[in-house]
């Protein structure tokens, strides 16, 4: 698979404003924060810090089979924050300001078409024994 297709499929691309640094998750030509048109496409950073998190026990339609699951606000090195799924860990393991790494995971499956939707989540780095 061509990288261009792969990164769109996994939603790893963000559009960053070169003027104020804001992330946009959908292609845009104008920054929603500062109205600049200096937008560059880039890869979502692979490391982030956990800011806050919560367990979702009553998920929206399509995510029922995954409940309960954890979502959190993660913060990148440049201070940009993002709401993302947290995976591969127990809720008790999570602590504010811990380091996380980005992984690609199945997000949901469309019941009618059987289409599996992938996207990024974050997890604590795997400990090396
Ligand atoms: Zn901007």
């Amino acid at each position: 698979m061509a990288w261009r297709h792969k990164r769109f499929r996994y939603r790893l691309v963000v559009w960053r404003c070169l003027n104020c640094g804001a992330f946009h998750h959908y292609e845009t030509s104008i920054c929603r924060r500062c109205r600049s048109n200096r937008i560059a496409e880039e890869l979502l950073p692979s490391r982030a810090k956990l800011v806050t998190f919560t367990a979702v026990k009553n998920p929206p339609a399509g995510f029922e089979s995954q409940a309960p699951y954890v979502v959190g606000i993660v913060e990148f090195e440049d201070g940009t924050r993002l709401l993302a799924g947290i995976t591969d860990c127990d809720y008790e393991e999570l602590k504010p300001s811990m380091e996380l790494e980005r992984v690609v995971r199945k997000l949901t499956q469309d019941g009618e078409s059987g289409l599996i939707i992938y996207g990024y989540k974050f997890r604590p780095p795997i400990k090396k024994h």
Side-chain angles (χ1 to χ4, degrees):
M1 197 192 312
W3 167 236
R4 186 169 175 85
H5 290 133
K6 191 171 175 176
R7 65 199 171 127
F8 277 107
R9 177 166 170 172
Y10 293 156
R11 303 179 186 188
L12 295 181
V13 172
V14 293
W15 285 265
R16 184 197 284 278
C17 173
L18 297 177
N19 188 49
C20 74
F23 275 137
H24 302 287
H25 297 285
Y26 297 95
E27 189 161 14
T28 181
S29 53
I30 299 283
C31 176
R32 278 177 303 190
R33 189 198 278 170
C34 75
R35 299 272 141 208
S36 168
N37 62 0
R38 295 173 57 225
I39 304 288
E41 191 182 303
E42 67 178 55
L43 201 60
L44 193 71
S46 60
R47 296 262 164 187
K49 198 176 71 176
L50 186 60
V51 178
T52 182
F53 54 94
T54 187
V56 176
K57 297 190 177 77
N58 298 297
F63 292 85
E64 293 93 339
S65 66
Q66 297 181 28
Y69 59 90
V70 181
V71 294
I73 303 285
V74 301
E75 185 177 287
F76 299 104
E77 212 171 40
D78 66 355
T80 309
R81 292 182 172 194
L82 174 71
L83 179 68
I86 311 294
T87 191
D88 295 355
C89 61
D90 294 325
Y91 189 77
E92 293 72 31
E93 288 176 47
L94 295 169
K95 295 187 289 287
S97 86
M98 74 188 297
E99 291 289 322
L100 300 175
E101 65 183 14
R102 169 170 55 69
V103 290
V104 171
R105 283 288 180 273
K106 185 173 111 173
L107 291 187
T108 186
Q109 187 163 358
D110 183 328
E112 286 178 15
S113 68
L115 184 72
I116 297 172
I117 299 166
Y118 289 90
Y120 54 79
K121 289 188 177 183
F122 285 83
R123 72 174 182 197
I126 301 299
K127 293 182 196 75
K128 294 182 180 68
H129 294 285

